[in-house]
Amino acid sequence: MTTKSQRESEQEVRSWGFSQVFTWTDSPNYYYSPHSHQNLTTHLILKGEMIVLFPDDEEPLKRSFGVGERVDIEAGRRHEVWTGREGCVYVIGE
């Protein structure tokens, strides 16, 4: 499998229809408390691991996403996020 560059990954996220696209890096074991966004957001994992929980779900479950996976978060949906032991680098589309 060929690894895409950051630029290629950002172009891919733009091709999904997102106008604001940037790459973000979180340190190891970083935590974002429950929050939501006004619009749909997407995250394309380039390095490391992102763990997401939707606390308002009937049966909340943590789900782990790794390199090459896409995570879509619907507008207004509360979620909390952790990064793995190596942190996480990902392209965000808004």
Side-chain angles (χ1 to χ4, degrees):
M1 179 172 96
T2 304
T3 303
K4 293 181 183 177
S5 70
Q6 178 179 324
R7 182 182 173 119
E8 290 170 324
S9 296
E10 289 177 354
Q11 289 173 337
E12 180 176 7
V13 171
R14 278 190 193 86
S15 78
W16 300 337
F18 293 93
S19 58
Q20 294 184 11
V21 174
F22 55 96
T23 298
W24 191 258
T25 301
D26 284 320
S27 59
N29 303 307
Y30 198 82
Y31 172 67
Y32 290 97
S33 62
H35 65 284
S36 63
H37 304 277
Q38 290 184 329
N39 299 304
L40 170 70
T41 60
T42 194
H43 308 74
L44 177 60
I45 311 301
L46 303 182
K47 182 179 179 183
E49 176 186 31
M50 174 184 285
I51 302 144
V52 178
L53 173 74
F54 298 102
D56 299 328
D57 284 2
E58 191 171 309
E59 294 184 28
L61 295 173
K62 283 185 179 179
R63 180 160 176 221
S64 176
F65 298 89
V67 175
E69 291 188 277
R70 176 180 174 173
V71 184
D72 287 338
I73 309 289
E74 297 89 355
R77 188 172 187 194
R78 275 188 358 118
H79 58 287
E80 56 190 304
V81 178
W82 296 260
T83 62
R85 291 178 293 195
E86 298 177 16
C88 192
V89 178
Y90 48 99
V91 177
I92 299 175
E94 300 178 325

